Amino acid sequence: MGDKFTVIREVTTNVWTFSRPFARFGIIPFGGRSTAIKMGNGGVWILASTTLNPETKAKIDELGPVQYIIGADAVHHLFLAEFKKAYPTAKLIAPAAAVERADKTLVFDGVWGRDAPDTKYGFEEDIKACYFSGFRNRDVAFFHPASATMIEADLLLNLPCTEQYSKTTSSGAIPFMGSLKPSSWLHGKISANMGDDQAAMKRDVKTVADWDFQRIIPCHGDVIETGGKQAWLDAYKSYLDPA
């Protein structure tokens, strides 16, 4: 049976998103999104955060052989087994906090938070990674220089999730609030409160701030096509301001 909810889109050359409805606690529209990048060697790197339905798999297979399956943080592990079963030769990499919660039959080829900080996994010529050891969900941010795109899971939200709910009867708006934007006071408070190691957060927030990106592809909410760097600076102002 075909899937009627997934929005498959080429955001820019060699970067594809797979966006679907997802409600946090079954109530709050957050949206879900996987992102696939075709690398310079022809292989595919994918942040796997939505189900691998037939339409998604067909597009990924069209892009090329999957070489990397990525879990982006502690709670984005639900579909890793599904992807690994479909692409058994791909390297599976995730933060330690995700490994602890994931399907116990999975064998990981790399683990952020356990491996040495300078460990290279093989995709670094195309995609840079920054592991946020001081963020509560132990997220990893990714940077694709060729498209000036940053990809992340829970570090930054851009709600409502209009695209992710575009094939449903819902607007994707948050009940009683409508939106949660990176520049909002509330997002700034959330970003500040999600840090449990201030020194590590300041270091890693600055690392991402130094990347030369304009676009942000979040797992939750609409893609920020331009002005992504400013959105990051706004959301993490508390860690960037001298204090």
Side-chain angles (χ1 to χ4, degrees), residues 2 6 25 64 75 121 136 144 149 152 156 158 181:
T6 303
F25 309 119
V75 295
Y121 300 107
R136 195 174 303 168
H144 183 234
T149 300
E152 51 80 30
L156 183 142
N158 187 40
K181 299 295 185 182

Side-chain angles (χ1 to χ4, degrees), residues 16-19 32-36 46-51 83 217 219:
W16 289 79
T17 55
F18 305 83
S19 305
R33 178 177 290 113
S34 293
T35 300
I46 184 159
L47 189 159
S49 188
T50 53
T51 185
F83 274 80
I217 300 179
C219 281

Side-chain angles (χ1 to χ4, degrees), residues 60-98:
I60 292 171
D61 291 347
E62 180 184 308
L63 297 179
V66 175
Q67 295 181 346
Y68 297 95
I69 299 167
I70 304 297
D73 72 10
V75 295
H76 285 74
H77 60 82
L78 297 178
F79 302 101
L80 297 180
E82 193 175 334
F83 274 80
K84 183 63 175 176
K85 182 178 180 180
Y87 304 108
T89 63
K91 289 185 177 180
L92 181 61
I93 308 170

Side-chain angles (χ1 to χ4, degrees), residues 7-72:
V7 179
I8 299 175
R9 179 165 70 98
E10 186 175 19
V11 175
T12 188
T13 303
N14 293 328
V15 180
W16 289 79
T17 55
F18 305 83
S19 305
R20 289 178 51 80
F22 164 72
R24 184 74 168 158
F25 309 119
I27 300 172
I28 305 171
F30 258 45
R33 178 177 290 113
S34 293
T35 300
I37 296 176
K38 184 168 185 175
M39 300 183 296
N41 66 0
V44 176
W45 176 102
I46 184 159
L47 189 159
S49 188
T50 53
T51 185
L52 186 63
N53 55 45
E55 291 79 6
T56 297
K57 188 175 187 303
K59 174 52 67 177
I60 292 171
D61 291 347
E62 180 184 308
L63 297 179
V66 175
Q67 295 181 346
Y68 297 95
I69 299 167
I70 304 297

Side-chain angles (χ1 to χ4, degrees), residues 171-202:
S171 67
I174 305 172
F176 309 111
M177 287 179 55
S179 67
L180 178 60
K181 299 295 185 182
S183 60
S184 67
W185 172 86
L186 180 57
H187 200 307
K189 292 294 290 184
I190 292 171
S191 299
N193 290 336
M194 286 295 285
D196 55 21
D197 182 329
Q198 298 298 302
M201 284 296 293
K202 287 185 177 183

